[in-house]
Amino acid sequence: MSARLDVRKTYKLFIGGKFPRSESGRTYKVTSDDGAFLANAALASRKDAREAVVAARKAQPGWAGATAYNRGQVLYRVAELLEGRRSQFVEEVAAGEGIKTKAAEAAVDAAIDRWVWYAGWTDKVAQVAGAANPVAGPYFNLSVPEPTGVVVVLAPQSSSLLGLVSVLAPVLVTGNTAVVVSSEKRPLPAITLSEVLATSDVPGGVVNILTGRTAELAPPLASHMDVNAIDLTGTVGAEGVAWGELEAEAAGSVKRVVRPRDSEPDWSQIPDGPRRILAFTETKTVWHPKGM
Amino acid sequence: MTASVSSATSDARTGADGSSSDTEKVLARARDVVGATELDDTNLARYLHGLPGVDKVGADGRAAMLGTRSIKTTAKQWALDTIVSMIDLTTLEGADTPGKVRTLAAKARTPDPSDPSCPRPAAVCVYGDLVHVAKDALAGTGVKIAAVATAFPSGRASLDVRLADTREAVAQGADEIDMVIDRGAFLAGQYSKVFEDIVAVREACRADGAQAHLKVILETGELATYDNVRRASWLAMLAGADFIKTSTGKVQPAATLPVTILMLEAVRDFRELTGTQVGVKPAGGISSSKDAIKYLVAVNETLGEDWLNPDWFRFGASSLLNDVLMQRSKMRTGHYWGPDYVTVS
């Protein structure tokens, strides 16, 4: 029998590459699927959400300005670090989602593979989604996908790591920056991911992670005028959230909106293409005279 | 140098009666306060060094304490509108073009095109040679034109050059002159030189029937100690400053809350002693509404409502206005605003 006391953790938010407490000073208990205490997480307020958007906006030009090749390398390096924390993720996923270690291992492996899969897309997405358009005149006409800007991601409520990676990575590929609202009841893998990101080469502010109530954070983010897109995937199974209202709020600033499915998708499937990446891009078309 | 001061002074005396009696009044008041017939380095030093010293830890602590006040709802709305009306919208770059000044003037004319109830800023602050551009662009709006003069920002030029700089800005129609003090002379203890400079510039502001307000920039970032800030504030007020201003914005640190509170205390004590009210203008480094509200709290706590209007308190700022406009929109519409929706300045 060990006499050692438990070290009970109280986690913080991840905003602009730093780990601040919630401006509100609030925290909430995170429990495992069977009700055992796991840790305390910060209960973010709408002001924290505002700060996160400011940080994301500040980081966006730099991240989008990096070459696609460089972004790919930076993201691949994150996958390396995820691999290094594998056992911690397995433990957190197993406890939070109430699944067996073996299933959790499979989920974490799939999450790391998913991250690598998306990292590979950075310098390929323009070839697939861009085009040299035939036009009736002596011009080159080129369309290229460009990042839309600051994207709010409401992370899936059930799949706390694989789901999170599946919605976050595609946002980052083209050069968007993200404000993530983590799973409300299972935020620990997201928090650990923020620790991974903080020690990786991803610049501060490119990913900002808020833990707390989706119902509290989603409305101010959906109506925020300085957010360019919102992924509503995490509204499925979130308490007190109606995604239709959020979509209506988002219309006020003509945001791109990714609607949720009726139920949480099966994240273990490899995506059938770069759909999620292209959901957060704008197509830029340029004309250039030929034959000069 | 002293010779040129006295000649400038005597020119003005013989030139316009109004300004000479005005100068006499200022000098008489200064003699009275200092308690000496001669306003030389020795007497000024005796007076300024006799001012009580500043408890730096206490001043910083008080500023930090005032910064924690929470201003919400209607009080915040009032504060935001008041801040807008107190802003001296400033552009002081080497690359200032007439076009840039006109853009700034357009911004002052209509700060928030989506909300006609938004007040206009108090003034537009430009370099002296661009005053006529701002004047044309702002005709009939009630927005004042402030010009920086006297070899801004360093002040390192002969008095003649600095006076010529001032006269040109006044002649072009500047309503307010922001002058810099000679920090080198101040730090070297040549208080009478600084004093006479300010008196001479004040005369230039009021020559030939002009009524330009004089703001004296202390450049507190270069004065090294809080004691010096207090002395410089008193020296400027004794010499007839209408406003005392913290900084040029070209030196770090620019305006800080403790330094501003120190200056607020100085103007409070000066009014108690002489009956003359002097304004205060923190400038540089105030870029968020939150910071600006802290300054308003400090004004209210230190001076009370007498100073809580654009005639007596100003912010020298350029990016502050956009932040305040975004906050106003947030309060009006209920959702957070982005820089995409405010006009560039």
Side-chain angles (χ1 to χ4, degrees):
Chain A
M1 197 64 189
S2 160
R4 196 165 170 261
L5 291 172
D6 290 341
V7 178
R8 299 197 148 190
K9 290 174 226 161
T10 298
Y11 289 110
K12 295 190 272 186
L13 305 171
F14 182 53
I15 297 174
K18 296 199 168 65
F19 292 95
R21 289 191 179 80
S22 167
E23 159 276 337
S24 63
R26 303 174 303 175
T27 56
Y28 70 110
K29 245 185 231 170
V30 179
T31 56
S32 69
D33 198 55
D34 53 15
F37 175 85
L38 291 177
N40 294 303
L43 185 59
S45 69
R46 61 189 172 87
K47 289 196 176 174
D48 296 315
R50 180 191 59 188
E51 294 306 313
V53 172
V54 170
R57 173 60 64 198
K58 201 170 159 212
Q60 206 269 328
W63 180 239
T67 60
Y69 172 71
N70 182 232
R71 271 201 305 279
Q73 284 192 316
V74 169
L75 292 178
Y76 185 75
R77 169 86 185 126
V78 174
E80 290 179 10
L81 292 169
L82 288 173
E83 188 70 42
R85 293 244 196 175
R86 189 169 170 276
S87 56
Q88 186 186 353
F89 279 119
V90 168
E91 215 169 278
E92 287 170 350
V93 168
E97 298 179 20
I99 54 177
K100 293 261 164 41
T101 305
K102 225 174 174 85
E105 278 175 349
V108 172
D109 288 347
I112 298 171
D113 292 350
R114 187 66 41 82
W115 194 281
V116 173
W117 191 81
Y118 275 116
W121 270 107
T122 51
D123 56 1
K124 298 171 187 70
V125 69
Q127 288 94 308
V128 173
N133 312 310
V135 288
Y139 300 99
F140 289 117
N141 185 267
L142 306 170
S143 292
V144 283
E146 297 206 326
T148 187
V150 173
V151 179
V152 168
V153 176
L154 305 182
Q157 299 295 333
S158 303
S159 180
S160 52
L161 181 66
L162 178 55
L164 171 67
V165 165
S166 302
V167 293
L168 173 60
V171 166
L172 302 178
V173 163
T174 53
N176 296 301
T177 52
V179 175
V180 179
V181 178
S182 76
S183 166
E184 189 170 330
K185 295 211 175 78
R186 305 176 181 88
L188 295 192
I191 295 169
T192 306
L193 177 66
S194 70
E195 289 173 358
V196 164
L197 292 166
T199 50
S200 75
D201 302 325
V202 176
V206 168
V207 180
N208 305 275
I209 296 181
L210 304 170
T211 53
R213 281 199 294 273
T214 308
E216 182 185 1
L217 297 172
L221 286 169
S223 67
H224 198 305
M225 301 296 275
D226 204 24
V227 170
N228 301 96
I230 184 165
D231 182 344
L232 298 175
T233 304
T235 56
V236 178
E239 259 169 62
V241 185
W243 67 266
E245 286 170 18
L246 295 177
E247 187 174 17
E249 290 271 25
S253 61
V254 214
K255 280 182 190 52
R256 288 186 176 277
V257 174
V258 171
R259 289 180 173 170
R261 309 262 181 86
D262 295 335
S263 61
E264 202 172 306
D266 174 14
W267 298 108
S268 62
Q269 298 296 314
I270 293 172
D272 58 353
R275 267 177 237 286
R276 282 197 161 267
I277 299 176
L278 296 174
F280 304 107
T281 55
E282 311 289 338
T283 300
K284 182 170 85 175
T285 299
V286 290
W287 295 68
H288 192 282
K290 254 181 200 171
M292 308 263 309
Chain B
M1 187 50 69
T2 322
S4 67
V5 174
S6 51
S7 74
T9 315
S10 58
D11 280 354
R13 246 174 234 158
T14 49
D17 276 328
S19 67
S20 77
S21 67
D22 176 71
T23 304
E24 270 315 318
K25 264 186 222 154
V26 168
L27 293 176
R29 185 181 67 201
R31 280 190 214 101
D32 202 34
V33 171
V34 174
T37 48
E38 202 55 41
L39 292 170
D40 56 13
D41 284 347
T42 320
N43 287 332
L44 284 170
R46 189 169 46 73
Y47 182 74
L48 294 175
H49 288 259
L51 291 169
V54 182
D55 165 12
K56 184 169 189 298
V57 175
D60 289 343
R62 178 161 171 73
M65 191 264 289
L66 288 177
T68 62
R69 296 280 172 86
S70 181
I71 309 291
K72 299 284 181 211
T73 61
T74 47
K76 186 173 179 186
Q77 250 155 7
W78 180 87
L80 292 175
D81 280 1
T82 308
I83 291 166
V84 173
S85 71
M86 285 176 169
I87 289 177
D88 281 6
L89 205 54
T90 304
T91 179
L92 296 170
E93 303 296 331
D96 282 350
T97 56
K100 191 172 173 204
V101 171
R102 275 192 288 269
T103 311
L104 199 71
K107 175 99 179 169
R109 194 181 267 273
T110 319
D112 185 351
S114 67
D115 178 13
S117 74
C118 180
R120 286 177 175 146
V124 162
C125 184
V126 295
Y127 270 115
D129 60 335
L130 289 165
V131 166
H132 66 279
V133 180
K135 193 88 186 161
D136 287 348
L138 286 168
T141 58
V143 178
K144 298 213 161 52
I145 317 291
V148 294
T150 71
F152 182 91
S154 69
R156 299 247 69 88
S158 74
L159 183 62
D160 288 341
V161 172
R162 285 183 285 156
L163 287 176
D165 197 8
T166 310
R167 286 197 199 98
E168 190 190 44
V170 173
Q172 284 193 33
D175 304 299
E176 301 170 356
I177 296 293
D178 288 28
M179 74 168 285
V180 288
I181 63 167
D182 183 344
R183 279 88 74 192
F186 179 86
L187 291 171
Q190 298 168 308
Y191 297 130
S192 65
K193 178 171 182 311
V194 178
F195 183 89
E196 283 160 15
D197 283 0
I198 299 172
V199 170
V201 175
R202 186 186 148 99
E203 276 185 356
C205 290
R206 283 161 168 74
D208 303 326
Q211 280 298 328
H213 258 58
L214 178 64
K215 305 200 199 100
V216 177
I217 303 171
L218 308 179
E219 194 62 296
T220 52
E222 290 184 345
L223 296 183
T225 66
Y226 285 4
D227 286 339
N228 275 344
V229 173
R230 178 169 284 174
R231 287 169 196 150
S233 303
W234 276 88
L235 187 60
M237 290 187 295
L238 286 173
D242 297 308
F243 255 79
I244 51 177
K245 173 174 165 184
T246 57
S247 330
T248 58
K250 305 286 184 196
V251 169
Q252 289 304 325
T256 65
L257 195 52
V259 158
T260 308
I261 291 175
L262 211 57
M263 291 164 64
L264 295 172
E265 287 169 354
V267 301
R268 177 194 63 197
D269 297 345
F270 190 75
R271 185 172 80 164
E272 213 152 89
L273 194 66
T274 66
T276 304
Q277 188 165 342
V278 175
V280 177
K281 174 178 171 186
I286 306 165
S287 56
S288 73
S289 316
K290 202 172 174 179
D291 286 345
I293 289 174
K294 288 180 190 172
Y295 282 86
L296 288 192
V297 169
V299 172
N300 194 43
E301 290 294 317
T302 316
L303 301 172
E305 286 183 18
D306 288 0
W307 268 270
L308 270 180
N309 68 63
D311 290 338
W312 301 108
F313 195 76
R314 295 278 183 85
F315 291 102
S318 42
S319 53
L320 172 63
L321 180 59
N322 276 349
D323 192 67
V324 178
L325 293 180
M326 286 196 283
Q327 289 291 324
R328 282 183 91 251
S329 304
K330 158 75 175 66
M331 298 202 81
R332 200 173 76 237
T333 62
H335 43 76
Y336 289 121
W337 220 247
D340 288 356
Y341 300 87
V342 287
T343 52
V344 280
S345 55

